[in-house]
Amino acid sequence: QRHRELALLRAIAATPGQIRRLLGREALVVGAAAGVLGVLAGLPLADWLHGRFIDMGAIPVTLERTAGVFPACAALVVTLVGAWAAARISGRRIARIRPAEAMAESAVERGPARGRIVAGLVLFAGGAALVGVLSVLRTEAAATPVTFLAVVVSATAVSLLGPYLVRFASVLLAGPLRAVGAGGSLATANIRGNSARMASVVTPLTLLIGMTCTVLFVQPTLGDAARAQARDGVRATWVLAAQGPGVPSEAAGAVRGAPGVTAATEVVRTTVRVGLDKYQAQGVTQAGLARTWDPDVTSGSLTAFTHGHDTAAISELAADRLGLRPGSALRLHLGDGTPASLTVAAVYRRGLGFGDLTLPHDLLARHMDNPLAATVLVAGHGSRDELAAALQRFPGLSVLSAETADRLQADRQQENAAVNYCAMGLILAFTAIAVVNTLAMSVSERIREFAMLRLAGATRRQVLRMLRAEALSVLLISTALGSGIALAVLTAFSIGMTGSAAPSVLPLLYATVVGAAALLALAATALPGRLALRARPAETAMSRQ
């Protein structure tokens, strides 16, 4: 936007070094002001986030928040260095070329440099490679960082190749835009003639839509697959749940003696370590296990697991990662650090629904802070009233159908996902600010253009209609690119984690994301546009000469 100003400085004998120092010092001044304001705003925001995470149960109440000098200084330094480097890099060409060339370049839009195109193609290939890697990752800890890295790399490729993508899209949108009238024709000409400027607006919107969709649909994809596996694998008629810390073993024993009950399986859940890696594990009582639980055994035997006190069952994904099979020795450390050596008796498919490792209940419970069962699976033809009567001595316990227990599990997953949404909300808010800033600046720099259109006979309404048509075009391009990036990443994530190329996408939530992006785009275009059109066209055109 400042090429014309900098070109004039070069024309009146400013040296390249003076231009670079001017830009660098301006960036340091602006960066210092922004950094200080950001630090002051970050302190109360950190306090609010700390309270929210406590309310959600993500961190304990006893974990106090501390505010030291180092984080504030580090944030300020990063802001200054980033602003200075960005200003020096973006002004490098205008400071290096001859003054006459600088004046010529300021008058017309220059096409993308060859290095930018090469970098864009490299990053596009890198994004595709990350998507391919994501499709073979089997653990959430490994897949999550790659998921968001793939979105960022792909969005960066869009930013570098943006002018070409915008020109291609303008050809597709030319017909619909002509139907809008004169404003649509002007919008088509602007998109084609100023593809670099339009690409700078498309990039943050693409990142906003792509990142938001990825954040919102990663957890549902994983949670729905886990619930589906658990739903298919639970054979129990009833599920005992507790409002307190868990279901005591005495309550499970009382249920086993109730009329019509054929089996009651106590389930405790924790994490164990195999080597340096953590794995989700569950402990189950082994008597009558086949009547309440079906993990879809693919090798080995569930019977061998139920008849051994030093045996374990393991999911296919964990077995592949650890190189285990039925008969192999599994060496692990329990929750309190106690080492244990077990023999793998069965390998099962439904690891998302039941955890990577299944161990004997007593072994796991002895080494947990809370040995009470998270749930008790009850098989048989006993009625709810008969089970409730057997549990009269145990207040706080409830008898649920398998369907009700599944719905409660879905609610708990939604609560856990709220923690991730809150943390990622900061990134999305930053991206939204970038979208508004970019759109507002893109409109504000076109005051002279609007004045010339008015002098050529265009009405104020036609110019505003042109801006709306441009904003909608940018939104369509960004939605297509952002949705495409998110769909590719989510599909690869689903293949790797669930084995199915069917990510869970909620249509209403997706429509909300696109609607919010549209609201941002239209508001950030319309408001600066109305302000720019308040001045008289003749005065604006003369003052901008």
Side-chain angles (χ1 to χ4, degrees):
Q1 293 180 12
R2 299 180 62 189
H3 270 201
R4 180 178 176 81
E5 172 194 335
L6 298 175
L8 287 172
L9 290 174
R10 293 295 315 281
I12 59 174
T15 65
Q18 289 174 327
I19 295 294
R20 287 194 292 267
R21 285 193 295 272
L22 168 70
L23 295 175
R25 289 171 183 174
E26 286 179 353
L28 289 176
V29 172
V30 174
V36 171
L37 291 174
V39 167
L40 295 177
L43 294 174
L45 179 60
D47 187 59
W48 178 81
L49 278 175
H50 181 260
R52 289 292 300 154
F53 285 147
I54 289 177
D55 294 339
M56 294 176 183
I59 60 176
V61 180
T62 54
L63 183 61
E64 297 181 358
R65 183 183 68 86
T66 59
V69 177
F70 177 75
C73 293
L76 183 59
V77 169
V78 169
T79 302
L80 290 173
V81 172
W84 180 85
R88 293 292 293 261
I89 292 171
S90 61
R92 184 177 57 181
R93 177 173 174 79
I94 195 69
R96 188 177 62 227
I97 61 177
R98 291 191 295 270
E101 293 177 353
M103 291 295 294
E105 284 198 359
S106 68
V108 295
E109 181 177 90
R110 187 169 58 92
R114 184 177 302 174
R116 174 173 175 167
I117 298 171
V118 172
L121 293 174
V122 170
L123 284 174
F124 178 79
L130 286 172
V131 170
V133 170
L134 188 59
S135 65
V136 298
L137 296 178
R138 297 291 187 262
T139 64
E140 189 174 3
T144 299
V146 177
T147 299
F148 297 113
L149 181 61
V151 174
V152 172
V153 170
S154 301
T156 306
V158 167
S159 72
L160 294 172
L161 300 175
Y164 292 104
L165 296 174
V166 169
R167 288 174 192 169
F168 176 74
S170 68
V171 176
L172 301 179
L173 294 173
L177 286 176
R178 289 195 192 97
V180 178
S185 299
L186 287 172
T188 302
N190 271 326
I191 293 172
R192 288 180 178 176
N194 300 283
S195 57
R197 182 178 65 197
M198 292 298 173
S200 69
V201 179
V202 166
T203 298
L205 268 175
T206 299
L207 180 61
L208 176 65
I209 294 173
M211 184 66 77
T212 304
C213 289
T214 304
V215 169
L216 292 178
F217 300 134
V218 158
Q219 288 299 326
T221 297
L222 201 58
D224 289 352
R227 284 178 50 225
Q229 290 187 7
R231 192 165 49 244
D232 294 339
V234 171
R235 291 182 172 180
T237 308
W238 305 103
V239 178
L240 302 189
Q243 296 178 355
V247 182
S249 295
E250 293 80 2
V255 166
R256 290 189 183 97
V261 173
T262 58
T265 301
E266 301 171 58
V267 182
V268 294
R269 295 186 178 91
T270 185
T271 58
V272 299
R273 285 191 177 274
V274 181
L276 298 178
D277 298 323
K278 275 188 176 182
Y279 287 86
Q280 295 293 325
Q282 66 173 2
V284 296
T285 50
Q286 294 158 289
L289 182 61
R291 298 189 184 97
T292 61
W293 185 59
D294 177 20
D296 192 9
V297 174
T298 56
S299 61
S301 169
L302 194 60
T303 303
F305 169 69
T306 57
H307 287 82
H309 296 290
D310 58 351
T311 56
I314 184 171
S315 70
E316 283 184 335
L317 297 179
D320 289 343
R321 186 177 184 188
L322 297 172
L324 301 177
R325 56 187 177 81
S328 300
L330 171 63
R331 295 177 177 83
L332 51 84
H333 286 81
L334 300 170
D336 61 355
T338 302
S341 180
L342 306 172
T343 301
V344 176
V347 177
Y348 54 85
R349 181 174 288 116
R350 293 174 177 148
L352 283 176
F354 300 112
D356 290 314
L357 300 175
T358 300
L359 311 177
H361 172 274
D362 293 342
L363 173 65
L364 211 57
R366 285 197 303 268
H367 301 277
M368 293 173 57
D369 292 335
N370 178 17
L372 300 181
T375 56
V376 176
L377 307 178
V378 182
H381 55 273
S383 67
R384 186 197 299 267
D385 293 338
E386 290 172 333
L387 294 179
L391 295 171
Q392 285 181 350
R393 297 186 296 112
F394 305 96
L397 299 184
S398 54
V399 181
L400 308 174
S401 65
E403 293 78 11
T404 303
D406 179 63
R407 287 196 299 271
L408 292 176
Q409 179 64 22
D411 294 340
R412 284 193 292 270
Q413 286 177 356
Q414 189 64 31
E415 293 175 358
N416 294 334
V419 177
N420 295 329
Y421 297 158
C422 185
M424 293 301 297
L426 296 176
I427 297 176
L428 301 180
F430 171 79
T431 310
I433 292 171
V435 169
V436 173
N437 276 344
T438 306
L439 284 167
M441 286 190 296
S442 176
V443 174
S444 298
E445 72 166 317
R446 300 171 63 186
I447 294 177
R448 185 171 181 271
E449 174 191 332
F450 298 156
M452 298 299 292
L453 287 173
R454 296 287 305 281
L455 291 174
T459 66
R460 189 170 182 271
R461 181 175 297 180
Q462 285 175 328
V463 175
L464 289 175
R465 191 177 298 156
M466 175 194 74
L467 285 176
R468 285 194 293 269
E470 288 179 5
L472 289 175
S473 300
V474 166
L475 179 67
L476 286 173
I477 297 170
S478 304
T479 301
L481 293 172
S483 301
I485 291 172
L487 183 61
V489 171
L490 288 169
T491 301
F493 177 85
S494 180
I495 291 173
M497 294 299 298
T498 71
S500 170
S504 296
V505 177
L506 307 177
L508 182 60
L509 199 54
Y510 173 73
T512 302
V513 172
V514 175
L519 186 62
L520 283 175
L522 291 173
T525 301
L527 294 178
R530 289 182 181 276
L531 292 174
L533 291 171
R534 281 185 176 181
R536 293 181 179 180
E539 294 177 357
T540 302
M542 292 298 294
S543 64
R544 298 270 168 174
Q545 289 294 334

